[in-house]
Amino acid sequence: MDSVGVLILFAVVGAVICAKARVPAGAVVFSLVALVLFVATPAGAGLPRAVSEFVDAFNDASSPALTDAGTDPADGAGVSQPVEGSGAVG
């Protein structure tokens, strides 16, 4: 596929035309085609791994906030003590 760049350009132009014509399904289809063609190129080959690493970093950063059982960080030494008035049941 020597002309994959031209195919990506046509897919992006098709998405813009569909968006201007208020045809959202066509714009989504053209955008997905452009994305698949881009990932198939050597320049876009690392895109799935980059997205995976971003989502993994986001998950790692948000997990402590979501699984924290209402502990007091000022308590020190990593000892989990319920915070007064935290509203935690039990």
Side-chain angles (χ1 to χ4, degrees):
M1 291 180 80
D2 294 332
S3 60
V4 72
V6 175
L7 293 175
I8 293 171
L9 177 67
F10 282 142
V12 170
V13 170
V16 170
I17 290 172
C18 286
K20 288 282 192 181
R22 297 182 188 258
V23 183
V28 168
V29 168
F30 274 112
S31 297
L32 289 176
V33 168
L35 181 66
V36 167
L37 288 173
F38 178 70
V39 170
T41 64
L47 184 65
R49 187 184 63 203
V51 170
S52 173
E53 288 176 2
F54 173 76
V55 171
D56 189 38
F58 188 78
N59 184 31
D60 290 344
S62 64
S63 291
L66 296 174
T67 59
D68 189 16
T71 58
D72 188 4
D75 209 13
V79 178
S80 294
Q81 300 275 337
V83 176
E84 292 298 323
S86 67
V89 178

